[in-house]
Amino acid sequence: LNSFSLDWNSPIMDKYLSIAYAEEIINNYLEGKVDFSIDDVKEAKMSMAIANLLLNNYETTINQINSFISSLDTDNKADAYNIRGIANSGLNNDNQAIDDYTSAIKMNENPQYYENRGDKYYLKSEYTKAYLDYKKALDLGFKVDDLTRSYYDNSKKEYEKQIDKGCTIFVYCDNEITRLISVPSLKWIE
C-alpha cells in the first residue's frame, strides 16, 4: 500500500469524482438534507451518465438515461438521446443508436447529432445516408474538419457514384432520411 497513490488530477479520477458528487447531490435531495432543486438533481443525473459513458460503462449509461429521460425538457432530452445513442453505439447496438440519434435530431437539429448518426450509417456501409447526414451537419454550421474526414470523403465518393449510376435518391423528410425515387442513369447528348 505504500506505493499506492491517487492521482487526483488524472482525467479518469475526474470522472469518478463526478459520479461521486452526482450521487451525493441525488442522495441529499432524496433525504431532504440539503436544499437542492429538482433541476440540480437532473443535472447531476446527466453528469453521472456522461461520466459513465466516458468510462465506457455503456450499459450503466443507458440504464441511467432510461431512468430519467422522460423528466427532461426538450433540449436536455435531445442531449440524453444523443448520449444514449453513443452508449448504444459502444455496445454495437447499431439500430438502437440510429434510433436514438434520430430522436435527438427530431427535438433539436444539432450538427453533432447528424454527425453521430452519419458515422453509424457509414460503419453500416450505408454511405448515401451517411453523406446526407454529413451534408446536413455542414448546412447547420459544421466545417468539413469537424467531421470524421475519411468517413465524409468516402461517403461523398460513394454517394456520387450512386448518383452517376442513376440509383435510388434519398432525401430528408421530417428529419429522417427517406427513399425518394429510383432514376435511370442520365447521359448527356451533345
Side-chain angles (χ1 to χ4, degrees), residues 167-187:
C167 294
T168 301
I169 297 172
F170 292 86
V171 296
Y172 279 99
C173 180
D174 295 326
N175 298 320
E176 292 189 45
I177 297 172
T178 305
R179 180 176 176 214
L180 178 64
I181 190 168
S182 295
V183 295
S185 181
L186 301 174
K187 298 188 186 214

Side-chain angles (χ1 to χ4, degrees), residues 6-170:
L6 293 174
D7 181 1
W8 292 102
N9 295 320
S10 76
I12 197 154
M13 185 58 74
D14 287 345
K15 293 169 189 77
Y16 286 113
L17 290 172
S18 178
I19 291 169
Y21 184 65
E23 286 176 343
E24 188 69 19
I25 289 172
I26 295 164
N27 291 335
N28 282 329
Y29 175 81
L30 294 174
E31 295 170 10
K33 291 182 180 176
V34 181
D35 194 22
F36 287 111
S37 71
I38 191 66
D39 289 336
D40 294 330
V41 172
K42 289 176 187 177
E43 186 176 331
K45 287 180 178 183
M46 185 72 92
S47 295
M48 191 179 338
I50 292 168
N52 275 302
L53 176 69
L54 295 172
L55 290 167
N56 299 329
N57 296 332
Y58 302 127
E59 288 284 346
T60 301
T61 300
I62 291 167
N63 291 334
Q64 288 173 336
I65 294 287
N66 289 343
S67 75
F68 66 84
I69 194 167
S70 63
S71 69
L72 299 174
D73 62 39
T74 301
D75 285 340
N76 287 321
K77 193 177 284 190
D79 287 340
Y81 276 118
N82 184 57
I83 292 164
R84 193 172 74 181
I86 295 167
N88 273 306
S89 186
L91 293 171
N92 295 316
N93 297 335
D94 297 340
N95 293 331
Q96 184 59 51
I98 288 170
D99 289 347
D100 284 337
Y101 297 138
T102 301
S103 293
I105 289 165
K106 286 179 178 180
M107 293 178 184
N108 180 358
E109 285 199 319
N110 182 317
Q112 185 64 61
Y113 305 161
Y114 279 102
E115 181 195 11
N116 290 348
R117 189 173 71 175
D119 287 349
K120 191 47 56 182
Y121 280 137
Y122 182 86
L123 293 171
K124 289 182 65 172
S125 301
E126 296 183 34
Y127 302 116
T128 297
K129 290 180 178 181
Y131 175 70
L132 291 173
D133 272 355
Y134 295 143
K135 189 170 178 336
K136 185 68 173 184
L138 294 171
D139 291 345
L140 291 171
F142 262 29
K143 298 190 179 7
V144 172
D145 291 338
D146 295 329
L147 302 172
T148 308
R149 187 61 187 256
S150 63
Y151 290 5
Y152 171 75
D153 290 342
N154 291 335
S155 65
K156 182 178 180 184
K157 188 183 314 176
E158 291 298 318
Y159 175 80
E160 289 170 348
K161 278 187 204 175
Q162 296 303 313
I163 295 299
D164 288 344
K165 285 185 197 175
C167 294
T168 301
I169 297 172
F170 292 86

